[in-house]
């Protein structure tokens, strides 16, 4: 599958949201459309990325976990999982999974960065395909705890509304005890900011990218079924162990993306 510059790609749209350089006009068109609905739209991506880095630091420094399986890794626009965790623990192993052709090209380049970073081309919404992948099995030891990430991914699943929870159930069942699961997801905050969430959802789903579902907190919590939540549970990405005191009030978009981390007993 080659790169099609006439179709927006989830990874390239995120890249555009993060002011990256690996995107096309069709991807920037999605960004501009969401910005018309919510001028602060790029905060969806920056909050997601900030959450990712804080989760990486937490797991690397607090849990004793040394292996990471990151589904839907995206483009290396900003600091990535392997950089964040290997700064703390250089021996940490990271396996990225994605099936975007632009991401695959960058993934091959990442492989040359160090011998503990690996890349798999597969569909993250097909757990069996990931869990039985020979590269995943070679570099992730499923007899030891691991960190499993679905960050900014499940809201792009286009299918039955209950399916993401079933996908996560299949993954969680396969994880060894003591593993950690991190998920971030577009949020309908069910308050005065709900209308902006639904406007952004409408633009995303009718854009050239064609996906972007905003779920409620309860719906996102259902994705962690069977896990013990790390305090503060599912909360705004901006509120999950923020770096330092908050001096500026949150804008409307920062209320529209949430995340959490759970531990498998």
């Amino acid at each position: 599958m080659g790169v099609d510059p006439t179709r927006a790609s989830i990874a390239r749209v995120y890249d555009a949201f993060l002011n990256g350089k690996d995107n096309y006009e069709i991807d920037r068109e999605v960004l501009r459309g969401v910005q018309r609905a919510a001028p602060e739209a790029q905060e969806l991506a920056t909050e997601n990325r900030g959450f990712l880095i804080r989760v990486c630091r937490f797991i690397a420094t607090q849990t004793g976990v040394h292996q990471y399986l990151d589904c839907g890794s995206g483009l290396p626009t900003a600091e990535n999982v392997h950089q964040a965790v290997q700064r703390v623990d250089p021996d940490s192993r990271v396996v990225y999974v994605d099936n975007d052709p632009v991401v695959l090209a960058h993934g091959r380049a990442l492989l040359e960065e160090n011998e503990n970073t690996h890349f798999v081309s597969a569909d993250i919404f097909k757990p069996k395909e990931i869990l039985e992948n020979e590269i995943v099995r070679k570099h992730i030891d499923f007899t030891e705890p691991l960190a499993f990430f679905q960050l900014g991914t499940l809201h792009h699943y286009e299918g039955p509304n209950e399916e993401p929870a079933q996908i996560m159930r299949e993954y969680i069942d396969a994880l060894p005890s003591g593993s950690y699961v991190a998920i971030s997801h577009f949020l309908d905050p069910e308050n005065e900011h709900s209308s902006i969430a639904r406007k952004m959802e409408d633009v995303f789903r009718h854009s050239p990218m064609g996906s972007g579902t905003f779920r409620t907190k309860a719906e996102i919590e259902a994705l962690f079924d069977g896990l013990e939540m790390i305090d503060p549970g599912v909360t705004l990405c901006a509120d999950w162990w923020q770096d330092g005191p908050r001096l500026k009030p949150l804008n409307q978009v920062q209320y529209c993306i949430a995340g959490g981390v759970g531990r498998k007993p």
Side-chain angles (χ1 to χ4, degrees):
M1 180 175 64
V3 177
D4 182 355
T6 66
R7 289 187 59 196
S9 124
I10 293 167
R12 294 194 317 259
V13 169
Y14 265 111
D15 183 71
F17 269 69
L18 289 166
N19 297 318
K21 298 179 175 62
D22 295 296
N23 53 76
Y24 298 125
E25 177 60 26
I26 193 79
D27 307 302
R28 295 187 287 275
E29 183 182 318
V30 177
L31 169 60
R32 290 192 295 269
V34 185
Q35 283 175 320
R36 282 192 288 274
E40 310 92 343
Q42 285 178 277
E43 295 281 10
L44 289 174
T46 53
E47 288 296 345
N48 185 65
R49 182 62 59 156
F51 174 74
L52 176 152
I53 298 304
R54 295 195 301 279
V55 167
C56 286
R57 288 203 304 260
F58 162 72
I59 291 175
T61 59
Q62 301 288 330
T63 70
V65 167
H66 305 286
Q67 47 180 359
Y68 300 76
L69 182 56
D70 181 12
C71 287
S73 53
L75 285 154
T77 305
E79 186 169 32
N80 293 275
V81 171
H82 72 285
Q83 291 151 334
V85 301
Q86 289 170 358
R87 184 173 298 123
V88 178
D89 176 12
D91 294 326
S92 288
R93 299 189 306 282
V94 178
V95 176
Y96 291 112
V97 184
D98 211 305
N99 63 353
D100 184 289
V102 176
V103 176
L104 299 185
H106 283 278
R108 283 189 280 273
L110 283 180
L111 295 183
E112 297 167 12
E113 202 160 298
N114 64 63
E115 59 186 12
N116 288 325
T117 306
H118 306 277
F119 200 92
V120 170
S121 173
D123 185 343
I124 62 170
F125 299 138
K126 295 179 178 174
K128 196 168 188 289
E129 186 179 322
I130 308 300
L131 295 166
E132 295 179 358
N133 182 278
E134 59 182 89
I135 298 173
V136 171
R137 285 286 166 178
K138 179 179 178 182
H139 299 289
I140 300 289
D141 179 358
F142 279 82
T143 68
E144 296 286 334
L146 62 118
F148 178 79
F149 293 167
Q150 287 272 17
L151 300 175
T153 53
L154 293 164
H155 47 232
H156 291 300
Y157 179 80
E158 284 294 301
N161 200 46
E162 68 280 0
E163 193 70 21
Q166 293 169 7
I167 290 169
M168 284 308 303
R169 164 52 50 210
E170 200 170 332
Y171 277 122
I172 290 167
D173 284 348
L175 299 178
S177 174
S179 293
Y180 288 82
V181 174
I183 300 171
S184 57
H185 198 294
F186 293 160
L187 172 72
D188 174 355
E190 298 182 285
N191 59 22
E192 67 271 24
H193 303 293
S194 284
S195 60
I196 202 72
R198 293 305 173 190
K199 278 184 192 170
M200 290 191 291
E201 177 181 72
D202 186 63
V203 175
F204 272 124
R205 299 195 73 183
H206 293 93
S207 76
M209 186 170 69
S211 64
T213 298
F214 285 66
R215 288 186 167 84
T216 65
K217 183 181 179 186
E219 288 174 317
I220 297 170
E221 286 172 337
L223 303 173
F224 291 93
D225 186 43
L227 301 178
E228 298 169 344
M229 296 306 293
I230 301 299
D231 183 56
V234 172
T235 187
L236 300 181
C237 286
D239 285 340
W240 200 89
W241 294 101
Q242 66 184 59
D243 291 324
R246 177 167 295 136
L247 301 181
K248 294 193 302 183
L250 298 181
N251 62 50
Q252 58 183 353
V253 171
Q254 289 173 299
Y255 284 98
C256 297
I257 184 164
V261 177
R263 180 184 182 276
K264 184 171 180 179

